[in-house]
Amino acid sequence: MISMNSCTDTLESTVVVYENDFSDLDLAGFENGKLFIFQNDTIAGFYHNDTVAMRLSDLPTHNVLKITTEILIHDTWDGNADDGIGGPDYWYFGIDNQEVFRTTFSNSPCESTYCLYQSYPNDYFRQNRPKQGSTQTNMPGLCLFGAFPNYTTRYRISKLIPHRNPNVRIFWNSDLRNEGIADPVCDESWSIASVTVEALVVN
């Protein structure tokens, strides 16, 4: 990944090459794409340790891709818990065959005597409080905690990635731990609320 904070970086052009909030039920180019309605919005999901991907072709000339993904983290994510039974609960994404961002999320209540920290908004392994960097926290869970508020958390993740090829495959996945859980998908899952891809020329 790159940072454009340097005084020598100049953004010459940017083109939005893909934008989808799934309200038009459009899954063109998706692998393992599926839709469902959550809180009156149509979103892609829900997923549990299975890859969803999207292919784009004939991109304009560029040397950087800016990929912005809005995701929803549902139910009992345990963040950095390292017992190998309930966590750590990873989410990651990448392009082509390269993973570019791996982090953890926690939907756990955080008390002075007990707190399951997460890595986001940083890469794994950092210790941040549950739901740090989120854009919305007041939604109910999806399945196991569907009757309880504050068990779905929304995040907007945006990354700049060096890239020049006219074609790209973007993939998202998780590595969730649910040892001894009869229905792991109901215990922890995630969804995609929107995806935006921009082709940038940076000099």
Side-chain angles (χ1 to χ4, degrees):
M1 289 184 298
I2 65 170
S3 168
M4 285 175 45
N5 294 329
S6 165
C7 340
T8 59
D9 289 333
T10 303
L11 178 61
E12 301 289 345
S13 67
T14 178
V15 178
V16 176
V17 295
Y18 184 85
E19 196 167 20
N20 193 350
D21 65 1
F22 306 106
S23 58
D24 293 332
L25 312 182
D26 179 13
L27 286 173
F30 269 79
E31 306 165 15
N32 195 24
K34 52 187 178 179
L35 299 173
F36 77 109
I37 294 175
F38 179 74
Q39 295 288 285
N40 298 316
D41 285 330
T42 301
I43 58 179
F46 45 100
Y47 298 102
H48 176 96
N49 294 354
D50 44 356
T51 300
V52 57
M54 180 185 68
R55 293 182 184 273
L56 297 175
S57 57
D58 300 321
L59 299 176
T61 299
H62 64 283
N63 58 7
V64 173
L65 287 180
K66 182 180 180 180
I67 301 173
T68 303
T69 311
E70 262 198 322
I71 62 169
L72 301 178
I73 298 297
H74 305 294
D75 297 310
T76 72
W77 286 56
D78 300 306
N80 293 336
D82 59 359
D83 55 11
I85 299 173
D89 285 330
Y90 300 105
W91 182 89
Y92 59 93
F93 91 98
I95 63 171
D96 301 323
N97 296 314
Q98 175 191 6
E99 182 180 306
V100 297
F101 183 60
R102 175 176 287 256
T103 192
T104 60
F105 295 104
S106 175
N107 272 340
S108 169
C110 189
E111 309 295 342
S112 59
T113 55
Y114 180 79
C115 188
L116 296 177
Y117 292 95
Q118 67 179 34
S119 292
Y120 191 82
N122 301 103
D123 292 271
Y124 183 79
F125 169 79
R126 284 286 294 275
Q127 295 276 47
N128 294 312
R129 291 179 64 83
K131 305 185 181 184
Q132 186 166 325
S134 62
T135 59
Q136 188 176 3
T137 63
N138 60 351
M139 293 175 286
L142 174 65
C143 188
L144 187 64
F145 282 82
F148 297 89
N150 304 315
Y151 271 94
T152 289
T153 310
R154 183 188 297 263
Y155 296 89
R156 187 174 187 270
I157 299 166
S158 190
K159 298 295 178 182
L160 296 168
I161 306 163
H163 186 270
R164 294 179 181 271
N165 196 295
N167 306 315
V168 67
R169 178 180 181 267
I170 304 166
F171 64 89
W172 304 264
N173 204 341
S174 60
D175 184 5
L176 303 173
R177 308 289 177 87
N178 308 88
E179 299 297 324
I181 300 296
D183 188 353
V185 180
C186 190
D187 184 55
E188 295 170 340
S189 62
W190 57 279
S191 304
I192 301 176
S194 69
V195 180
T196 303
V197 181
E198 298 168 73
L200 281 59
V201 176
V202 179
N203 291 317

